[in-house]
Amino acid sequence: MNVTGHTRRPASIRDVATAAGVSYQTVSRVINGHPSVRPSTRERVLAAIDELGFRRNATALALASGRSRAVTVLTANTTHYGYASILQGIEEAARAASYAVGIGVLESADDAAVAAEVQRAADAGGGLIVIAYDPAGVRALGAVPAGLPVVGVVETPASPPAGESPWVWADDREAAYQATRHLLALGHETVHYVAIPSSTRRTSARTSGWRQALKEAGAPEPRPVQGSWGPAGGHAAGLKLARDPSVTAILCGNDDLALGVLRALHEAGRPVPGEVSVAGFDDAPHSAFLTPSLTTVRLDFTGLGRAAFGLLHRALEESAPVAPHPVSVPELVVRESSGPPPAGH
Amino acid sequence: MNVTGHTRRPASIRDVATAAGVSYQTVSRVINGHPSVRPSTRERVLAAIDELGFRRNATALALASGRSRAVTVLTANTTHYGYASILQGIEEAARAASYAVGIGVLESADDAAVAAEVQRAADAGGGLIVIAYDPAGVRALGAVPAGLPVVGVVETPASPPAGESPWVWADDREAAYQATRHLLALGHETVHYVAIPSSTRRTSARTSGWRQALKEAGAPEPRPVQGSWGPAGGHAAGLKLARDPSVTAILCGNDDLALGVLRALHEAGRPVPGEVSVAGFDDAPHSAFLTPSLTTVRLDFTGLGRAAFGLLHRALEESAPVAPHPVSVPELVVRESSGPPPAGH
DNA sequence: GCGCCTTGTGTGACCGGTCACATTCATGCG
DNA sequence: CGCATGAATGTGACCGGTCACACAAGGCGC
């Protein structure tokens, strides 16, 4: 071990080589587990490595070999629970594979800004994971130059892509379908929907799952209310819906929106679940502790993150395991915020 | 512009050089804005750069120059609001300075695990920012090898460090002090405290601010209740406190804990703020929308993150601005969850 | 006993930049 | 007019690894 106090330049393979009395190439072979090295030689090299505290320089490795064992995650807003959990899952899997994780935040959905961010990520080397649940993310996914390995974390696609695709997703559509059916089964005539900003112009997967459940039940399909991501958007949407006495069940695009809706209903004097039932989406950690506690659909975000990394890992290295990270199916969690409609409905 | 479809090796400075009819060194000079390049030459080089779509290879730059324009953030749990916001602030400032941001998650506070994570971060090159609000973070900060530039985001230190220190902090102590005074001013006899896990064995800054306010008011000092980070911990602590009828005011180490406490009080049939007042810490986005909405202290987490980056930037580059990122002082936000104690107290 | 293949090891070039120094040419000044 | 000076540019080495290839020694078949 290096015991001298002052910082010195870290040992390189040539330092190790002279210390062990071999050439730098032999050291390289030992590091990389090349078979044809005499055991006694390997021994000496390993001893020298240990003594000098040698660590392979990641930068030099990346430059010389071309592979960089790094992933950059492009995402809007790391503050949001779902995004943060996906990131957590990616990091976890990356750590296990000893990959470095970089992050880039898409602050604006503006084309130029997105392109700049993608460029930065590309400069970092290695692979790319884009969280494409929102317009900025979708645009970023589209702006990735061909040839750069990339995996997108996307909404449930309308039709399952043929063959291998560089995407992972949780089954949002199924989740929305389940939540809507739950509310309908309680006896509600229909279910209103407060949407998260759609990632594309087209209808989001969550919206289409909701719609499908309504259609199957022969329930009327009210116009979805457009919310933002945060509770404030839910609050605004909730105030609007609270004014309509026919509204008895509301599905929200995520738990934060649901929180705002709950608050708005409270302010409007409409008891939950007595008069109105509310269901969220994501099962954020606080949702179980709200009053009333929130009925919601749990999504396996960290699993999604792990799967995204797994797919990218496979794209970057032939030798990586093929499908190591299953994503669990969405699970409806029934709590206090949903119940039968009031009598007379 | 490169219009050929298939991916080719990105252009290097030598490619640019031949295209412009100069040497690679001249290209390097142009890139780095060296003054002694004839304007006409610079012109030609810039044209070649543009035509070939040249971008400077970050890896090669890092290897050759030693500086890497990268920061790695070491943190526990990116899911927690405060941590995520700090990360967001760091990323924002880093982006502005065109630094790459890497993250490493401290999943366990185990010494070996922490050391491994610090090593990984060191291997990534560049500077390090450690979020040291919890035991894992504090241990990581301690394990950083000398000579590696590092900034810690820490709790308010007991005494202001002399001279320049590699730490940034929000004034937690002052914040806790303010919140406690607010509750005392409402007429409560004393204020109970549900603590977040302390970063060290010693008393945390938040605890000491609370204690100081009690002492100044001559209020009795109840034993702090140890919570965890999440709402579940707050819930457990809240159930305990709810059983004690003398408890009329509770300060919580963060908003998630407060949420759990609110829920526990609700389950125990103790109205808030009618019988018990609750205050949180952090002003998470959902706190304003709870019922009752939560009185809390807002901390400038993103500002903290920006300041941390600013300090590190300065440590890495002589030329960086000295103190560009002020951290705003904590601000008490009074909402529905705090009020006067019930009559008879 | 010779050639041939395999095993173990070393040498030189290279990845894409930067840095230190050399070189050329025009200019200013004594 | 000669020489020092500085602007503009080029050359070679280097950062710390990897890769392709050369080469010596030993075992084996014929």
Side-chain angles (χ1 to χ4, degrees):
Chain A
M1 281 293 170
N2 167 13
V3 220
T4 66
H6 56 283
T7 311
R8 39 146 60 85
R9 186 173 51 74
S12 75
I13 54 167
R14 326 221 174 206
D15 299 329
V16 174
T18 32
V22 296
S23 78
Y24 53 82
Q25 180 61 305
T26 300
V27 176
S28 174
R29 283 195 258 265
V30 170
I31 300 173
N32 295 298
H34 188 98
S36 53
V37 174
R38 189 173 317 187
S40 65
T41 311
R42 182 192 315 278
E43 207 65 20
R44 266 185 310 157
V45 171
L46 287 175
I49 285 177
D50 194 52
E51 177 175 7
L52 298 177
F54 167 80
R55 304 211 95 215
R56 194 223 240 94
N57 180 319
T59 305
L61 174 62
L63 180 59
S65 69
R67 350 180 186 99
S68 64
R69 299 188 81 74
V71 203
T72 301
V73 182
L74 239 39
T75 172
N77 197 347
T78 55
T79 278
H80 182 274
Y81 170 70
Y83 289 7
S85 301
I86 293 174
L87 180 59
Q88 193 95 2
I90 293 171
E91 199 279 341
E92 196 182 308
R95 178 149 31 90
S98 47
Y99 267 61
V101 179
I103 90 162
V105 172
L106 303 163
E107 201 156 41
S108 126
D110 175 63
D111 272 328
V114 165
E117 213 37 45
V118 170
Q119 273 292 10
R120 271 167 54 72
D123 287 350
L128 206 56
I129 294 179
V130 180
I131 302 186
Y133 269 116
D134 46 68
V138 170
R139 228 164 273 187
L141 196 51
V144 174
L148 185 60
V150 62
V151 167
V153 181
V154 299
E155 289 191 84
T156 320
S159 51
E164 294 203 0
S165 70
W167 302 327
V168 296
W169 63 87
D171 199 343
D172 311 83
R173 194 203 288 112
E174 169 65 18
Y177 177 77
Q178 274 185 37
T180 309
R181 291 212 9 151
H182 160 68
L183 291 168
L184 291 172
L186 285 168
H188 295 273
E189 223 165 81
T190 191
V191 175
H192 289 254
Y193 181 57
V194 178
I196 48 176
S198 171
S199 61
T200 56
R201 289 269 153 62
R202 302 193 343 274
T203 305
S204 79
R206 296 185 182 188
T207 307
S208 93
W210 160 75
R211 187 165 287 157
Q212 187 187 340
L214 291 184
K215 194 172 292 171
E216 282 181 18
E221 185 189 309
R223 216 167 137 252
V225 184
Q226 198 57 40
S228 60
W229 282 92
H235 185 249
L239 287 177
K240 208 151 104 191
L241 288 169
R243 278 200 296 272
D244 178 352
S246 77
V247 173
T248 68
I250 306 176
L251 174 65
C252 302
N254 71 39
D255 282 5
D256 279 351
L257 284 175
L259 176 62
V261 167
L262 284 179
R263 175 74 196 183
L265 291 171
H266 167 76
E267 288 172 3
R270 304 200 59 187
V272 176
E275 271 190 29
V276 183
S277 288
V278 174
F281 220 111
D282 292 358
D283 194 25
H286 60 249
S287 298
F289 293 91
L290 297 176
T291 304
S293 59
L294 187 68
T295 292
T296 187
V297 193
R298 179 177 306 152
L299 293 181
D300 183 14
F301 286 120
T302 51
L304 200 53
R306 283 191 294 264
F309 177 79
L311 206 55
L312 185 61
H313 191 193
R314 176 69 189 167
L316 292 170
E317 292 180 49
E318 216 28 58
S319 62
V322 176
H325 298 293
V327 179
S328 357
V329 296
E331 181 189 354
L332 180 68
V333 184
V334 178
R335 300 206 184 94
E336 297 166 355
S337 69
S338 61
H345 271 273
Chain B
M1 280 294 176
N2 168 13
V3 219
T4 67
H6 57 283
T7 311
R8 38 145 60 85
R9 185 171 52 74
S12 74
I13 54 167
R14 325 220 176 208
D15 299 330
V16 174
T18 31
V22 296
S23 78
Y24 53 82
Q25 180 61 307
T26 300
V27 176
S28 175
R29 289 196 180 91
V30 170
I31 300 173
N32 295 299
H34 189 97
S36 54
V37 173
R38 187 174 318 182
S40 65
T41 311
R42 181 191 317 278
E43 208 63 21
R44 264 184 311 156
V45 171
L46 287 175
I49 285 178
D50 195 51
E51 176 175 7
L52 297 178
F54 168 81
R55 306 211 94 213
R56 194 222 240 95
N57 180 320
T59 305
L61 174 62
L63 180 60
S65 69
R67 350 181 188 99
S68 64
R69 299 187 82 72
V71 203
T72 302
V73 182
L74 240 38
T75 173
N77 196 348
T78 55
T79 279
H80 183 273
Y81 170 70
Y83 288 6
S85 301
I86 293 174
L87 181 58
Q88 193 95 3
I90 294 172
E91 200 279 341
E92 196 183 308
R95 177 148 33 91
S98 46
Y99 267 60
V101 179
I103 91 160
V105 172
L106 302 163
E107 199 156 40
S108 127
D110 174 62
D111 271 328
V114 165
E117 212 39 43
V118 171
Q119 273 291 9
R120 270 165 56 72
D123 287 351
L128 206 57
I129 295 179
V130 180
I131 302 185
Y133 269 115
D134 47 69
V138 170
R139 227 164 273 188
L141 196 51
V144 175
L148 185 61
V150 63
V151 168
V153 181
V154 299
E155 288 191 83
T156 320
S159 51
E164 293 203 1
S165 69
W167 303 326
V168 297
W169 63 87
D171 199 343
D172 311 83
R173 196 205 286 111
E174 170 65 17
Y177 177 78
Q178 274 185 37
T180 309
R181 291 213 6 154
H182 160 68
L183 291 168
L184 291 172
L186 285 167
H188 296 272
E189 223 166 78
T190 190
V191 174
H192 289 254
Y193 181 57
V194 179
I196 49 175
S198 171
S199 61
T200 57
R201 289 269 153 61
R202 304 191 342 274
T203 304
S204 78
R206 295 184 182 188
T207 307
S208 93
W210 161 74
R211 188 166 285 156
Q212 185 188 340
L214 292 184
K215 195 172 290 170
E216 282 182 18
E221 185 189 308
R223 217 168 133 249
V225 184
Q226 197 57 41
S228 59
W229 281 94
H235 185 249
L239 287 178
K240 207 151 104 188
L241 288 169
R243 279 198 295 271
D244 179 351
S246 76
V247 172
T248 68
I250 305 176
L251 174 65
C252 302
N254 71 39
D255 282 3
D256 278 351
L257 285 174
L259 176 61
V261 167
L262 284 178
R263 174 74 196 183
L265 291 170
H266 167 75
E267 289 172 3
R270 304 201 59 186
V272 176
E275 272 190 30
V276 184
S277 287
V278 175
F281 221 109
D282 291 358
D283 195 25
H286 59 249
S287 298
F289 294 91
L290 298 175
T291 305
S293 59
L294 188 67
T295 292
T296 188
V297 194
R298 180 177 307 151
L299 294 181
D300 183 14
F301 287 118
T302 50
L304 201 53
R306 283 191 294 262
F309 177 79
L311 206 54
L312 184 62
H313 192 194
R314 176 69 189 165
L316 291 170
E317 291 180 49
E318 221 21 64
S319 61
V322 176
H325 299 295
V327 179
S328 3
V329 296
E331 181 189 354
L332 180 68
V333 184
V334 178
R335 300 206 184 95
E336 296 167 355
S337 69
S338 61
H345 270 270

